């Protein structure tokens, strides 16, 4: 095999891997409640290649930037209940920005600082920074330290397969503050009495769950059909 064909095979492999990650990102956005078109959700590999390959056929990550706005349903789920102190609460969600870091190694505080700056400058509510390699603990801390913004990190390989599409992973549905209140009232519970799910749980990370929220988990059962349980995010 000559060098050119080896290169083109390698480029094709990398392109296919990144296409799978890219599709999972769009599924993640849709599952969180952002506005995503059907075309984006089922983008064929050929179209992805045409749009995002560099002249040598490798993916050009600098072109792969995504923005999405929350749907009305998502806004409802992220609007706190009115209180005396806050009689007209606003939804705690907004435009999300996803960036694929082009650097293949040595990703640290420098790249995270640039990403944080971009999120802040453009007034994005949430940012997702996707890298090819792990980032240092100090870079992770820096990412989550932007006042008034939510910045998350994933590695490309974390998103090669959509874990929530696996048949053994039950459906997780975020409750709105109103639904959460009704649930606690119905069972006469405090939220701290509910079973818990860690914010670091893979499905919680995928859905971008936040501390204090409650998620409904719908399982299939051979005897009961479907049954629901609830988890408090900590």
């Amino acid at each position: 095999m000559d060098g050119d064909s080896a290169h083109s095979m390698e480029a094709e492999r990398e392109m296919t891997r990144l296409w799978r990650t890219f599709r999972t990102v769009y599924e993640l956005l849709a599952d969180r409640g952002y506005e995503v078109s059907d075309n984006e959700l089922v983008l064929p590999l050929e179209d992805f290649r045409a749009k995002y390959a560099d002249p040598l056929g490798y993916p050009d990550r600098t072109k792969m930037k995504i923005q999405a706005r929350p749907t009305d349903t998502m806004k409802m789920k992220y609007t706190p209940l009115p209180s005396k102190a806050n009689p007209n609460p606003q939804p705690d969600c907004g435009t999300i920005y996803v960036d694929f870091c082009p650097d293949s190694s040595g990703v640290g505080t420098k790249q995270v600082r640039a990403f944080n700056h971009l999120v802040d400058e453009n007034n994005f509510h949430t940012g997702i920074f996707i890298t090819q390699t792990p980032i240092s603990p100090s870079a992770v801390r820096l990412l989550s330290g932007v006042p008034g913004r939510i910045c998350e990190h994933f590695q490309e390989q974390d998103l090669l397969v959509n874990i929530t599409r696996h048949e053994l992973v039950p459906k997780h549905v975020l409750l709105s503050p109103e639904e959460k209140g009704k649930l606690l009232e119905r069972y006469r519970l405090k939220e701290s009495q509910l079973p818990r799910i860690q914010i670091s749980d893979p499905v919680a990370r995928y859905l971008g769950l936040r501390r204090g929220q409650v998620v409904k988990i719908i399982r299939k059962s051979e005897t009961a059909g479907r049954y629901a349980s609830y988890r408090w995010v900590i």
Side-chain angles (χ1 to χ4, degrees), residues 71-86:
T71 56
D72 290 341
T73 307
M74 183 181 184
K75 286 177 188 168
M76 184 196 77
K77 287 195 176 189
Y78 281 84
T79 303
L81 292 171
S83 63
K84 272 187 184 159
N86 187 7

Side-chain angles (χ1 to χ4, degrees), residues 6 20 26 52 57 67 87 99 106 115 147 151 170 175 185 193 195 197 201 205 207 212-213:
R20 286 169 60 194
Y26 269 108
Y52 299 112
Q67 290 181 36
D99 198 1
F115 175 76
C151 290
L175 298 190
E185 208 175 289
Q193 292 173 293
I197 182 172
D201 176 274
R205 286 189 67 220
L207 289 173
Q213 290 179 325

Side-chain angles (χ1 to χ4, degrees), residues 101-133:
C101 181
D103 301 337
S104 57
S105 62
V107 178
T109 50
K110 182 182 130 201
Q111 290 89 341
V112 167
R113 248 188 211 101
F115 175 76
N116 284 354
H117 181 70
L118 223 153
V119 169
D120 214 28
E121 281 288 283
N122 291 283
N123 214 13
F124 294 122
H125 181 280
T126 306
I128 296 180
F129 189 50
I130 299 178
T131 60
Q132 299 172 56
T133 52

Side-chain angles (χ1 to χ4, degrees), residues 25-88:
V25 170
Y26 269 108
E27 290 167 357
L28 173 153
L29 294 175
D31 289 344
R32 288 187 182 193
Y34 292 97
E35 291 176 2
V36 172
S37 74
D38 291 343
N39 293 348
E40 290 163 328
L41 278 171
V42 293
L43 182 73
L45 176 58
E46 301 73 55
D47 295 5
F48 176 76
R49 192 187 293 113
K51 204 169 175 185
Y52 299 112
D54 69 11
L56 294 173
Y58 286 92
D60 181 356
R61 288 169 176 82
T62 60
K63 291 180 182 170
M64 295 169 60
K65 299 176 191 316
I66 302 169
Q67 290 181 36
R69 291 194 309 251
T71 56
D72 290 341
T73 307
M74 183 181 184
K75 286 177 188 168
M76 184 196 77
K77 287 195 176 189
Y78 281 84
T79 303
L81 292 171
S83 63
K84 272 187 184 159
N86 187 7
N88 185 24

